[in-house]
Every structure is written in C-alpha cells, then in structure tokens.
Amino acid sequence: MKTHKVLLSALLVPLGVTLAVAPAVSAATPDSAPAAAPAAASATTHAATPTGPEETTTATFRSPEAALGRVAHPLRSSGAHGGLADLRPFGRMVGDARVVGLGEATHSSHEFFTVKHRVFRYLVQEKGFRAFALEAPWSSGLRLDAYLLRGEGDLKQIMDEEFQGTYRWWNNAEYRELFQWMRAYNIKHPKDPVRFVGDDGAFAGSELYDKVNAYASAARPELAPQLAKLYRGMRPTTSAEAYVNDYLSKPLAERKTLAERTGRAVDLLKQRPGRGADADARAWAVQHATAIHQMATLFAFDLDDPRGTSDAMFYRDRIMAENVAWWQQQTGDKIALAAHNSHVALTTYDPASLPKAQGDFLRERLGGGYLSVGLTFDGGSFNAFGQGGDVRRFTLGPAAPGTVEHTLDRVRYRDFVVDLRKAPPAARAWLATPRTVKNIGTNYPGNMDTPQIRLAESHDIVVHLHRVGAARMLK
C-alpha cells in the first residue's frame, strides 16, 4: 500500500507513473550545496555561423540546427530584469492569443522562473495581459490575488501556508520577486491591475467554504442549512499538507461519498439563475463551490490502482484547463499560464499516464487563442524530491546526441526563442520525428524523465536555455 504522501506525489508529478523509460539522456548527480541564484546569461552567439548568403543557404539545408537558427531570435538575458526589446519577436509570435502556456522542463530551476517573470512583464506591458495562472490550488490563488490587489495579508505567510507538500516548489525567491513586482504594478495601476489565478484542484482552502456560505446567506438564505450539512467536516482547520494527508487516509468509499456531497452543493447553487448584480456574485460562488468539488472528485479516484491514477491525471488536467478558461471568459483577462511542459503541451507526452494534457484541452476550447511555449535546457541544476523523499539539488550534464536538447543547443544562439510553426523545410522532418526530451517532475529520478515527443506537435514555440541553476527555495 502506498503512503498518502506518495499517493499525492504520484498524482501531481507530471507523468510520474508506470511506463518503462528510454535510457537517460545524461548523468545526474545530487548536490549538497544550497543553490544560489545564477547570474543572467547573455545572448551571445553560441556556435560558428555562416558569413555570406551562399554559405547561409548551404548550411540551412545541411542541418536542422542551422535551419532553426535562421528563424530563432536571441534572448538578451535569462534573468527577470532589464529591457524587453529582445522579446518583440516573441510578441509577434503571440499574436492575438488570449492564453499563453509557459512551460518548464523541471519544477525548480531558477531560469525557468525568471524567464517567465520577464516574459510576463512583456505580456503585461506590451500585449495587454492581466493575469498570471499557476498550477496551484484555486483557494491559494484567491489569497495571493487579494494580496496583489489590495495588499491583504503578509506575502511570506501566504506563501508559507499555501505552498506546502508538492506545491512547495512555488515557495521560492524567484516567484516571491514576481509577486512583489505584480504588487508594485498594482499600486501604480489600481484601476487596471494584474491578477493571480490558481488553476489546480488538489486542495480547497477554508476561503472557498467561507465565500460560498457568505453568498448563500446573503442571496440564497434557504440554501445555507443545506450547504452547511453537505460541507460538514470538510472545511480545513489544519495546515494544507496535514489536511490533504488526512483526507487521503479516509477509505475510498468515504471519499466518494464526500465527492457526491460536494457535487450536490454545486447543483444547489446552480438551480436559480442570478439576475443583475447577483449574476456575477452567483458565478463566482458557483466557481468556488466547483473548486471544492474538484478536489473531492480528484481524491475520489482509486489512487492505489494505476488505471485510477491515470484517470485522475486526465481529470486534473481537464479541470486546470476549465479553471483557466473560466477565468478568461469571466474577467476577459489575457492569461500567462505557468506549468510543466507536459501540462502546457498541445498533446500528451505519454498517453498511458497522462491521457490528455491541459494544453490540449485549452486548444480545443480556445483554438488559436491558446499558445503553447515549451522551455528546454541543455544542462544544469534543479531541486526535486530524492529517492528518500528529501529535497535535494541535482545536476545534469550536457544533453546526449540524438535528443531534442542536443540539437537545440547547437542553434547559433546561447539562449533563444523560436516559432516552430515557421520552421524552414530543413527542420520540419526533425521536428516531426519522436525524440527524447528532458521531462523532470517533483521526484528525481522518475519514471518518465526522458519521454519521446514530436516537438512540432507538442508546442508552438520553444524557449531554449543553454544552462540553468537550481531555484532558491525559501522553506
């Protein structure tokens, strides 16, 4: 029997179950020293490039990396700060997209977070984006959003309390700096603020129950007793990690009963359409109740059964897409969506363990309004749970020949962004061929660290970084 902590970890680790894997692309070693934030890398030329038109044409048809080099655009820096002019080509790639998925090949590398920070700054200032969504609970998003909008609460306390368990990877200095920038932006732009969205469903904080009950008491008092009965014993009174571990210790039959109860609560709130000012309040109350139901449903799958875990992963990516789409439609905000590459992807990295990715659901809903951006790296460090369950820093050497990253790292720039949709003919066959890619979740090593994907089918755009360092975790 799995422990409850392992159950939750298996559920939240991208592709963290069952299938046999390809050989590792490079050796990894655990590091004992704490990770320091690396200096930003400059966009210097990474490889020798042709100097004349004839040489350029010849090289283009000689290798996929030369072909991609013709349409790649260098990044001035992989850091969070500084000018944004180098991101103008990226802005043209974004076009009219309403949701831009920003991936990561590990869950805890400094540059993946800082690149997202700088890209979000650009999207806010130049493309009118107004929300940052993260693979974190809906209730966590509400607390952070209240801090960003009105300064409610203490940022350190919110991050410590909300980013626990397998969400602890978000309690890092890089995201703290992003939140501080968002708060400062809102102080300067109180009538046009940036918002924060938690789109995940593996915890439902007490705020959700309080908001649903407050709406019912004010607008539907006849429902208040029924809701209280349906939610009895469910509102968290302990830490998020303790609550989830206790919840998963309940027998499966009891968890299924709880999911049935939370579903009835949603149905009650939906029974009578709202009118006028009540319509908006009702919509938010239904969404908060839906988030409670999402958690209960997610934990009502049989997570001791590989099929149940696969079904839960399908459900989880579906609800993450639904929550993002709901926010976008309800508020009109354009959204930068931060998640693992395997979640923002347009097609699953592994059908057996993750039948359908969040990005696939979003493309179905939004069409070209959703854009998938994968972030890759050649070598470097990251934090992850080791085999003993402790948090460790690991280092990977350069990618092996034949892998996605080996070729990308031979494009002419050290760090760059490239639109795969506009790849020259010489690169298209390479992009359409299954190749091994780094795909590191919250545990290392994991069962699907090196899946094979067709890059052009998985992402619209790729941001490739030559080297990354481990993120600076705060707790």
Side-chain angles (χ1 to χ4, degrees):
M1 181 72 70
K2 299 175 183 175
T3 67
H4 307 133
K5 191 171 184 178
V6 171
L7 275 172
L8 182 61
S9 180
L11 180 64
L12 299 186
V13 175
L15 312 176
V17 287
T18 64
L19 287 192
V21 302
V25 298
S26 56
T29 57
D31 300 327
S32 57
S42 61
T44 55
T45 300
H46 186 53
T49 57
T51 56
E54 292 183 3
E55 291 175 291
T56 300
T57 302
T58 300
T60 296
F61 289 94
R62 191 165 56 228
S63 65
E65 57 264 34
L68 290 171
R70 291 191 67 193
V71 293
H73 298 272
L75 295 179
R76 177 193 60 78
S77 170
S78 60
H81 303 292
L84 302 174
D86 59 317
L87 291 174
R88 289 173 186 161
F90 176 75
R92 293 192 290 272
M93 298 174 197
V94 169
D96 296 328
R98 304 189 298 280
V99 177
V100 174
L102 301 172
E104 58 200 25
T106 82
H107 267 325
S108 192
S109 290
H110 171 83
E111 285 79 4
F112 290 146
F113 297 137
T114 56
V115 164
K116 291 180 189 184
H117 182 159
R118 198 158 76 93
V119 166
F120 184 58
R121 282 176 50 220
Y122 175 85
L123 292 173
V124 168
Q125 295 176 21
E126 303 295 334
K127 301 291 290 185
F129 278 60
R130 288 297 180 269
F132 186 90
L134 180 63
E135 139 184 34
W138 182 264
S139 53
S140 301
L142 295 179
R143 284 191 72 187
L144 270 166
D145 192 52
Y147 168 79
L148 296 173
L149 286 176
R150 298 178 294 276
E152 293 180 11
D154 175 75
L155 180 58
K156 180 183 184 303
Q157 181 180 359
I158 293 170
M159 293 180 71
D160 286 348
E161 291 177 354
E162 296 300 328
F163 298 150
Q164 297 186 12
T166 50
Y167 293 118
R168 74 181 62 193
W169 310 110
W170 311 149
N171 196 0
N172 60 62
E174 293 82 1
Y175 269 152
R176 179 181 62 187
E177 191 171 14
L178 171 62
F179 300 147
Q180 289 170 338
W181 176 84
M182 293 171 72
R183 176 62 186 146
Y185 181 93
N186 288 345
I187 291 173
K188 292 181 180 179
H189 306 86
K191 295 183 179 180
D192 187 23
V194 291
R195 309 286 301 272
F196 182 85
V197 186
D199 64 24
D200 208 350
F203 176 65
S206 58
E207 297 80 10
L208 299 182
Y209 298 87
D210 296 342
K211 288 180 180 295
V212 171
N213 290 332
Y215 168 79
S217 296
R220 302 285 304 278
E222 75 279 7
L223 296 185
Q226 298 176 69
L227 290 171
K229 183 177 180 180
L230 292 171
Y231 287 148
R232 185 175 298 153
M234 293 191 66
R235 183 183 182 279
T237 58
T238 61
S239 71
E241 186 170 18
Y243 177 87
V244 170
N245 286 335
D246 179 67
Y247 197 102
L248 286 171
S249 71
K250 301 178 189 296
L252 180 60
E254 183 178 349
R255 285 182 271 140
K256 287 180 179 292
T257 297
L258 291 172
E260 187 272 335
R261 282 165 46 186
T262 57
R264 284 165 56 198
V266 175
D267 291 340
L268 283 174
L269 289 165
K270 286 182 174 179
Q271 280 178 358
R272 191 178 74 191
R275 295 181 178 86
D278 179 62
D280 185 66
R282 174 184 175 275
W284 283 97
V286 169
Q287 175 60 19
H288 299 330
T290 297
I292 295 172
H293 182 53
Q294 287 171 346
M295 183 209 70
T297 303
L298 187 64
F299 290 153
F301 288 95
D302 184 356
L303 303 180
D304 287 320
D305 181 349
R307 175 62 184 271
T309 304
S310 177
D311 290 344
M313 289 293 288
F314 177 92
Y315 178 75
R316 180 186 175 223
D317 272 55
R318 193 192 89 197
I319 62 173
M320 288 197 296
E322 289 174 351
N323 290 337
V324 170
W326 184 90
W327 184 285
Q328 201 284 314
Q329 292 161 8
Q330 179 70 18
T331 67
D333 291 340
K334 291 183 179 181
I335 302 172
L337 164 64
H340 200 276
N341 282 342
S342 56
H343 290 309
V344 304
L346 298 171
T347 185
T348 177
Y349 276 25
D350 171 43
S353 57
L354 178 58
K356 190 168 182 174
Q358 179 182 16
D360 195 350
F361 285 110
L362 285 169
R363 178 56 61 88
E364 282 185 351
R365 279 177 168 262
L366 303 177
Y370 174 70
L371 191 76
S372 175
V373 183
L375 272 66
T376 61
F377 73 109
D378 182 52
S381 302
F382 56 90
N383 302 305
F385 290 121
Q387 290 181 323
D390 55 327
V391 175
R392 308 182 72 180
R393 188 178 72 176
F394 297 88
T395 297
L396 289 171
T403 63
V404 165
E405 297 89 354
H406 184 267
T407 295
L408 291 178
D409 209 55
R410 277 149 185 77
V411 171
R412 61 191 297 185
Y413 305 112
R414 177 184 176 90
D415 300 329
F416 63 88
V417 57
V418 60
D419 191 337
L420 304 181
R421 300 165 299 180
K422 297 184 178 179
R428 290 175 192 166
W430 180 84
L431 291 169
T433 302
R435 298 184 188 279
T436 300
V437 66
K438 294 187 182 82
N439 181 65
I440 296 156
T442 59
N443 290 352
Y444 191 81
N447 286 342
M448 281 304 296
D449 295 329
T450 54
Q452 289 200 337
I453 66 167
R454 291 177 172 86
L455 196 59
E457 295 180 6
S458 300
H459 303 287
D460 299 304
I461 295 167
V462 163
V463 173
H464 179 73
L465 306 177
H466 173 61
R467 190 162 186 84
V468 300
R472 181 184 164 202
M473 297 183 66
L474 296 177
K475 189 174 182 180

